[in-house]
Amino acid sequence: MHLAYPAVLAALLFCTGLYGVLARRNAILVLMSVELMLNAVNLNLVAFDVWLSRAARETLHSGQALTLFTIAIAAAEIGIGLAIVLAVHRNRGTSDIDKLRDTAEGPETEDPGTSAAEKTEATA
């Protein structure tokens, strides 16, 4: 098999994941898109490791070992990410990234166009 086939597939996977990260508003879909991008990198690591190991028969297959390490890190990342998204969803009631500014910030009830004098006048 040529190296171009897995490289093109990995490029398509990575572009799909990048589009998902940039275009999606739901935090869970963004995490899934990051996983797609990591899997594209893993596919490249394995494909290039196999391609480079054909030249020298006595190799350590470091690309495959690095892929296993990346899979372990990705599993931990998705576990922590989902725990954070669930905690934010319980507190805020939404997982929409655009609506989540800061977890310490409360809902904004004031009009940003009002001046400080108008605010004190309204409270008096």
Side-chain angles (χ1 to χ4, degrees):
M1 180 180 350
H2 296 292
L3 182 63
Y5 298 132
V8 168
L9 179 62
L12 289 174
L13 275 175
F14 192 85
C15 289
T16 305
L18 186 65
Y19 173 74
V21 167
L22 296 176
R24 299 294 177 188
R25 292 184 177 167
N26 191 349
I28 294 175
L29 292 178
V30 170
L31 286 174
M32 289 173 60
S33 299
V34 169
E35 289 295 319
L36 268 178
M37 291 171 27
L38 284 173
N39 286 332
V41 170
N42 288 338
L43 181 61
N44 269 335
L45 282 172
V46 171
F48 278 101
D49 182 51
V50 169
W51 184 64
L52 290 174
S53 69
R54 287 183 184 168
R57 293 288 178 198
E58 301 296 324
T59 58
L60 292 175
H61 297 293
S62 58
Q64 293 177 14
L66 189 58
T67 298
L68 288 175
F69 180 72
T70 307
I71 289 171
I73 296 297
E77 173 254 337
I78 199 70
I80 292 172
L82 282 175
I84 291 171
V85 168
L86 286 174
V88 168
H89 184 69
R90 284 182 185 166
N91 288 336
R92 294 292 184 105
T94 183
S95 62
D96 191 0
I97 294 176
D98 291 337
K99 294 180 182 175
L100 303 175
R101 294 185 184 194
D102 188 25
T103 55
E105 184 179 305
E108 191 172 313
T109 58
E110 309 174 350
D111 184 25
T114 59
S115 65
E118 290 174 355
K119 289 178 188 176
T120 55
E121 213 173 88
T123 57

